[in-house]
Structures are given as structure tokens and as C-alpha cells.
Amino acid sequence: CKSNCELQACGDGDKASDEGCDAGGDNADGGATGSCRANCLVQVCGDGDEATDEECDGGAANADGGATGSCRPGCVLQTCGDGDQASDEGCDDGNLVDGDGCDSSCVVEFCGDGTTNNNDEECDAAGDNGNGGATGSCKANCAVQVCGDGDQASDEGCDNAGDNADGGATGSCKSNCELQACGDGDQASDEGCDDGNVVNGDG
């Protein structure tokens, strides 16, 4: 019983010992965090009543790692790019940037997806990736087709990787991925000379 002989009640504006607050007629659900709810409890994250400065409030169900759109412990929505991997995300690195291993849709990047992953890919042409294309094209392993990689490009005469060398026998593979031949200006090990042409009578 209060000093005015009225019963202590939630909403009377007089905070009882078992009330978290009492703002009288201003008590209301859905106010800002820290305001007084209709039940005379302070509005807090996790009480199940979404405050005006909360994105969500699932009460005891607030948790990290739920599905996208679920409510996290800080009363913020689970979203791609928040750094907390949702149950329906393949990854979440805390940003919405493509090319860093986890794309802007929170899908793990892989060779062949059409996005060059800067972590371990030189290129990615998606369905056009393939071995044996022209120099500079994208190979099946997302590496650029170059002379010396051991995969003969369509514009190379040969490619023996680390065995490419100038001055080998005729028919061997030179450092520029062309076949060693008489008249190429590079004297092969089985040639007596090579002046860069196949003209007789010039020495």
C-alpha cells in the first residue's frame, strides 16, 4: 500500500521494488532501448520486443550463425558481409567485395566461376577456361597461358616447360616456344652454323 493508501501498480508512475521502471502513461512497448515497457520492464535487446533502435529482437532465439534474416545477439539482422557466417552462406569475410575468396553474395569463389579470385587465380573466364588456347588466354586451372608452362598454346610451336632451351638439337623446343630449326638464327647442337636464313652461297 502506497502512502496515499492506493495499491502499488505498474503504470502508476511510481517505481515499485519489483519493477524495472515505471514511467506512468509513457510506458509503452517498442520504444527505444532503455525506455520503459508496458510491463514496467526496461526495453533491452533480447527481451523479444523490438525497440526502435533495434533491427530485430527474437528474445531467447537471438543467435549467431542462423539463417540470413534471423536475429543475432546484438539485435541486428544476420546479413551477408557482417562477418558472421549464416547457416545458408558458404562464407562471410565481413565485406561485399568480389575476388577475395568470398564473393559479394557470400558464396565461396572457385576456379571457373568467372570471377578472378586474387588469392590464388591469375584469371577466370568461366566456361571459356581451357588448356591449349592462345598465349594470354585463361587455362583450366585459372592460370594465364604462357610460354614455359608446359602446355602448348595454339600459337606456340612447342612447350616443354623447364626443358625449353636455345641451342638444343634440331626439333627441340627453344626458350621462346618455337621449334629449333635451320635458319632460325640460333645454332642448334647438330648444326655447323645458322645465319638466320636458308640461302646457299652466303658462307
Side-chain angles (χ1 to χ4, degrees):
C1 191
K2 296 168 63 177
S3 60
N4 62 359
C5 293
E6 292 182 358
L7 291 174
Q8 190 87 37
C10 174
D12 61 8
D14 180 46
K15 180 180 175 295
S17 59
D18 57 352
E19 294 175 341
C21 57
D22 197 324
D26 292 330
N27 288 357
D29 291 332
T33 299
S35 62
C36 199
R37 294 179 58 193
N39 60 1
C40 290
L41 295 176
V42 176
Q43 186 92 38
V44 294
C45 175
D47 60 9
D49 180 55
E50 185 178 328
T52 55
D53 52 352
E54 295 173 341
E55 294 181 1
C56 57
D57 198 325
N62 288 356
D64 288 329
T68 299
S70 62
C71 202
R72 297 181 59 194
C75 289
V76 293
L77 290 170
Q78 185 91 38
T79 59
C80 175
D82 62 8
D84 180 58
Q85 185 175 334
S87 58
D88 53 353
E89 294 175 340
C91 56
D92 197 320
D93 57 1
N95 64 59
L96 299 175
V97 178
D98 290 329
D100 60 358
C102 185
D103 74 11
S104 58
S105 298
C106 289
V107 175
V108 176
E109 294 175 335
F110 59 93
C111 177
D113 63 5
T115 297
T116 300
N117 178 351
N118 296 325
N119 292 339
D120 55 12
E121 294 177 352
E122 296 177 357
C123 58
D124 198 323
D128 292 329
N129 289 353
N131 296 334
T135 299
S137 62
C138 200
K139 297 172 63 176
N141 64 354
C142 290
V144 175
Q145 185 93 38
V146 294
C147 174
D149 60 9
D151 180 51
Q152 186 177 334
S154 59
D155 54 354
E156 294 175 342
C158 57
D159 197 324
N160 292 328
D163 292 332
N164 290 354
D166 296 330
T170 299
S172 62
C173 201
K174 297 170 63 176
S175 59
N176 64 355
C177 291
E178 296 297 330
L179 290 171
Q180 188 87 40
C182 176
D184 62 8
D186 179 51
Q187 185 175 336
S189 59
D190 55 354
E191 292 176 341
C193 58
D194 197 320
D195 59 359
N197 63 60
V198 289
V199 177
N200 293 328
D202 61 356

